[in-house]
């Protein structure tokens, strides 16, 4: 279940968070953050805040608010949302925190890590704003209108190579790899189709570049609840596709069903 460890970081009450539950919108219209809005390195958490599924100021992401946002915005099962929330409270520097802010997610090597698909390594300054040049490195390998697991995996691999080659502080632990794998799987899980292991590139690029859910491009949230198991399958598909060996790999749920053999651990 790589996805379950995927977005893990941590925290308590800090002044920027306040003690009250922030109200959520009822309309979920997209709007950019206001001048005091906190945003972080996660394009999805930023998007959920930009739509008002999370508080638009990016504060007070507690269990209730996280489950609401992931469930209402994306149809994540509450159990999956709960696991992800608990993994993320370490982002808050206060011990035993019961909430975090999107700003907390910027702390380097807590959850935020090197070799992101769309952010600079912390060594090169801003580790949390969308960066088109970095995204271009990734998307150079997104070579068709419909992304598959290998294209996504190739983008992941090139960012790891480029980070290791250019950044003397480059850090990419086994734990980071598990997180990163889940992040790279996110397009399949949210914007694509696990059964075929594909996702429309236009939806994924629009999401990254605008931190906005691509409703007007025809996307809507999954009608099927996204469970821990489904998310884990997405990670597994990406994990398999990152191998540079040419042995047969499983790159979709369909192939996995067809094989159901010893190929899988
Ligand atoms: C509790 C919920 C979540 C938390 C705390 C969280 C946190 C994070 C953090 C800290 C990063 C930065 C990692 C890096 O340095 O690249 C990140 C990246 C990312 N997250 Fe989230 N995330 C959450 C939910 C989600 C969901 C539901 C999705 C979509 C399925 C998602 C998609 C992504 C993607 C695609 C990236 C990679 C960005 C890049 O590589 O440039 N996240 N997330
Ligand atoms: C945090 O939780 C741990 C484990 O429950 C406990 O031992 C510790 O005292 C707590 N720390 C604070 C600051 O509340």
């Amino acid at each position: 279940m790589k996805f379950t460890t995927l977005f893990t970081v941590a925290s308590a009450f800090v002044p920027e968070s306040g003690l009250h539950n922030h109200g959520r919108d009822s309309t979920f219209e997209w709007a950019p953050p206001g001048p005091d809005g906190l945003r972080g390195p996660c394009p999805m958490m930023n998007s959920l805040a930009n739509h008002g599924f999370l508080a638009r100021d990016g504060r007070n992401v507690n269990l209730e608010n996280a489950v609401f946002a992931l469930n209402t915005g994306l149809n994540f099962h509450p159990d999956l949302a709960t696991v992800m929330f608990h993994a993320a409270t370490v982002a808050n520097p206060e011990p035993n925190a019961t909430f975090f802010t999107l700003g907390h997610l910027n702390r380097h090597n807590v959850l935020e890590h090197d070799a992101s698909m769309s952010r600079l390594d912390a060594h090169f300054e801003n580790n949390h704003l969308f960066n088109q040049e970095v995204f271009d490195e990734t998307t150079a390998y997104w070579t068709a209108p419909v992304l598959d697991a290998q294209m996504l995996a190739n983008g992941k691999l090139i960012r790891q190579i480029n980070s290791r080659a250019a950044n003397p502080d480059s850090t990419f632990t086994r734990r980071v790899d598990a997180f990163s794998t889940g992040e790279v799987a996110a397009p399949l899980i949210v914007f694509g189709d696990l059964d075929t292991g594909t996702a429309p590139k236009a939806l994924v690029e629009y999401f990254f570049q605008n931190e906005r859910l691509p409703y007007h491009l025809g996307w809507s949230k999954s009608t099927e609840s996204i469970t821990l198991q489904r998310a884990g399958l997405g990670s597994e598909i990406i994990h398999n596709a990152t191998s540079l060996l040419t042995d047969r790999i499983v790159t979709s749920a369909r192939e996995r069903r067809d094989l159901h053999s010893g190929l899988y651990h």
Side-chain angles (χ1 to χ4, degrees):
M1 299 278 89
K2 294 180 176 65
F3 199 86
T4 67
T5 56
L6 163 64
F7 301 118
T8 322
V9 177
S11 215
F13 292 118
V14 297
E16 68 176 6
S17 297
L19 298 176
H20 55 292
N21 277 357
H22 289 260
R24 312 168 189 118
D25 282 22
S26 50
T27 59
F28 309 123
E29 290 295 319
W30 186 89
D36 66 342
L38 298 174
R39 292 295 183 267
C42 179
M44 184 55 84
M45 295 300 270
N46 291 350
S47 297
L48 291 171
N50 290 342
H51 281 282
F53 291 110
L54 288 171
R56 290 182 185 271
D57 66 6
R59 290 168 170 81
N60 198 30
V61 184
N62 60 21
L63 177 63
E64 183 193 349
N65 293 341
V67 169
F68 174 86
L70 293 175
N71 182 250
T72 309
L74 304 174
N75 200 12
F76 273 39
H77 191 284
D79 290 349
L80 172 59
T82 298
V83 166
M84 291 174 69
F85 169 78
H86 286 304
T89 55
V90 292
N92 187 329
E94 299 292 327
N96 304 342
T98 57
F99 74 92
F100 58 89
T101 73
L102 299 192
H104 286 148
L105 299 179
N106 296 334
R107 296 171 63 217
H108 183 49
N109 285 339
V110 180
L111 294 182
E112 192 284 321
H113 58 75
D114 287 337
S116 304
M117 289 180 274
S118 67
R119 269 69 176 164
L120 287 168
D121 286 4
H123 176 83
F124 300 115
E125 297 304 326
N126 193 301
N127 68 350
H128 55 273
L129 280 180
F130 175 81
N131 182 290
Q132 184 65 51
E133 285 172 30
V134 171
F135 195 50
D136 287 346
E137 293 176 27
T138 304
T139 56
Y141 293 83
W142 294 5
T143 50
V146 177
L147 302 178
D148 62 21
Q150 185 164 323
M151 293 176 208
L152 290 164
N154 287 348
K156 174 182 189 291
L157 289 165
I158 200 67
R159 288 289 301 135
Q160 286 176 244
I161 299 273
N162 290 351
S163 171
R164 189 165 75 163
N167 175 2
D169 300 328
S170 182
T171 301
F172 206 84
T173 63
R174 197 173 292 277
R175 184 178 152 281
V176 166
D177 193 46
F179 275 67
S180 167
T181 299
E183 291 156 11
V184 176
L188 301 181
I189 295 165
V190 173
F191 301 115
D193 176 4
L194 282 181
D195 205 45
T196 56
T198 61
K201 179 164 68 171
L203 300 187
V204 181
E205 289 190 337
Y206 183 88
F207 154 71
F208 267 98
Q209 288 174 320
N210 298 283
E211 305 207 325
R212 180 171 185 161
L213 296 171
Y215 298 112
H216 68 289
L217 297 178
W219 176 84
S220 56
K221 69 180 171 185
S222 175
T223 51
E224 197 177 332
S225 178
I226 297 173
T227 59
L228 210 63
Q229 189 186 14
R230 282 179 69 74
L233 174 59
S235 282
E236 189 174 359
I237 288 167
I238 294 298
H239 173 76
N240 291 341
T242 54
S243 172
L244 294 173
L245 308 180
T246 55
D247 301 272
R248 182 162 181 199
I249 55 166
V250 170
T251 58
S252 71
R254 186 177 295 161
E255 281 183 25
R256 186 195 198 198
R257 266 202 310 278
D258 292 349
L259 281 168
H260 63 79
S261 71
L263 258 191
Y264 265 63
H265 46 86

